[in-house]
Amino acid sequence: MTSLYNLPVTLWSMNGHVKNMNFLQLMEAAKTLLSLLLVVAVDSTRSVTPSRNQQCGNSLQQTLKLTRLVHKESVDLIKTYKATQGEMSELLCGVSVNIVPDPNISGLEPSERIVSMYTHLQDFSPHFKRVYEQQTDLQSPTSTLLPELTNISTRSRSLAALINGVYQSIFPNLPMPEPAGGSTALPPPQNVFQQKVYGCAVLKSFKEFLSNVAREMRTLKSQVCKRKMQMNTFF
């Protein structure tokens, strides 16, 4: 009796000639083709993985670079601010107030902490605007403080855009959630001394916040991007 594996199978080759193969040979050829397809698929995945991880690292590095620059500028801005506030500048900058955004980053998961950084930058924006308005009334039009305040506000928006990009690169399938709760309320009308205290408190809180952002970016780069690489390699 003829075995199923020895039954002849008629195939047409590409040049039009007839080939006879038994069933066992046909199965071997099919397994070889499947193995080749799997190798091609794995190589394709590996070629995409470094690109994604490189994007993750590059996005964080770019954000960290801007954060360091803005932090340096915030240090210089505080010096300029103190120099333009009169003789009691050190005193007024030492007063503690609770009407400015919190410099601390919140959240347990990386996604939550990135959202916290983004939300904080949104919170600082109206405070920068208020400080600029107050100092416009207190300073001469030629004061170097005013353009520095404008610059820090612009840098803050640029940093927010980069952090949003970091979130999208690390969590492409997870939409940025809406901020939970409201931002820090602007202060009620203030006298001159209160305005000076408030302005310095905003700038000091922002400087501290930038230090926290820089530390957070280094942590994300070393942990999140590395974890993405390990997961992609595994799969």
Side-chain angles (χ1 to χ4, degrees), residues 50-117:
S51 175
R52 289 175 178 172
N53 287 291
Q54 184 177 8
Q55 181 182 5
C56 175
N58 289 345
S59 180
L60 286 167
Q61 184 60 37
Q62 185 180 8
T63 306
L64 178 58
K65 184 177 180 181
L66 180 59
T67 302
R68 288 170 173 165
L69 173 62
V70 183
H71 181 270
K72 179 181 180 302
E73 291 176 343
S74 70
V75 172
D76 295 336
L77 174 56
I78 292 175
K79 292 179 181 178
T80 302
Y81 186 90
K82 289 181 178 180
T84 58
Q85 302 306 307
E87 297 179 355
M88 295 191 299
S89 61
E90 290 296 334
L91 174 63
L92 62 89
C93 280
V95 177
S96 177
V97 296
N98 58 359
I99 52 175
V100 299
D102 183 2
N104 297 312
I105 298 168
S106 61
L108 298 177
E109 298 297 325
S111 59
E112 296 173 344
R113 298 184 71 78
I114 296 175
V115 171
S116 176
M117 288 184 280

Side-chain angles (χ1 to χ4, degrees), residues 184-195:
T184 307
L186 292 172
Q190 300 169 305
N191 59 39
V192 173
F193 181 79
Q194 290 173 329
Q195 289 178 15

Side-chain angles (χ1 to χ4, degrees), residues 40-204:
V40 171
V42 170
D43 286 344
S44 176
T45 302
R46 286 177 178 173
S47 65
V48 172
T49 298
S51 175
R52 289 175 178 172
N53 287 291
Q54 184 177 8
Q55 181 182 5
C56 175
N58 289 345
S59 180
L60 286 167
Q61 184 60 37
Q62 185 180 8
T63 306
L64 178 58
K65 184 177 180 181
L66 180 59
T67 302
R68 288 170 173 165
L69 173 62
V70 183
H71 181 270
K72 179 181 180 302
E73 291 176 343
S74 70
V75 172
D76 295 336
L77 174 56
I78 292 175
K79 292 179 181 178
T80 302
Y81 186 90
K82 289 181 178 180
T84 58
Q85 302 306 307
E87 297 179 355
M88 295 191 299
S89 61
E90 290 296 334
L91 174 63
L92 62 89
C93 280
V95 177
S96 177
V97 296
N98 58 359
I99 52 175
V100 299
D102 183 2
N104 297 312
I105 298 168
S106 61
L108 298 177
E109 298 297 325
S111 59
E112 296 173 344
R113 298 184 71 78
I114 296 175
V115 171
S116 176
M117 288 184 280
Y118 180 80
T119 303
H120 273 62
L121 287 167
Q122 302 297 319
D123 288 348
F124 273 106
S125 183
H127 290 272
F128 288 143
K129 182 178 179 182
R130 174 62 63 86
V131 172
Y132 181 86
E133 292 171 349
Q134 292 175 342
Q135 291 299 315
T136 298
D137 294 335
L138 299 176
Q139 304 295 324
S140 68
T142 58
S143 172
T144 58
L145 176 62
L146 300 179
E148 287 189 37
L149 286 171
T150 300
N151 177 69
I152 206 72
S153 180
T154 302
R155 295 287 201 194
S156 176
R157 290 193 296 271
S158 298
L159 186 57
L162 283 180
I163 289 178
N164 183 51
V166 167
Y167 184 90
Q168 299 300 332
S169 67
I170 298 178
F171 308 103
N173 300 319
L174 188 63
M176 174 80 79
E178 293 295 326
S183 59
T184 307
L186 292 172
Q190 300 169 305
N191 59 39
V192 173
F193 181 79
Q194 290 173 329
Q195 289 178 15
K196 293 181 176 182
V197 169
Y198 165 70
C200 195
V202 170
L203 299 182
K204 286 173 60 181

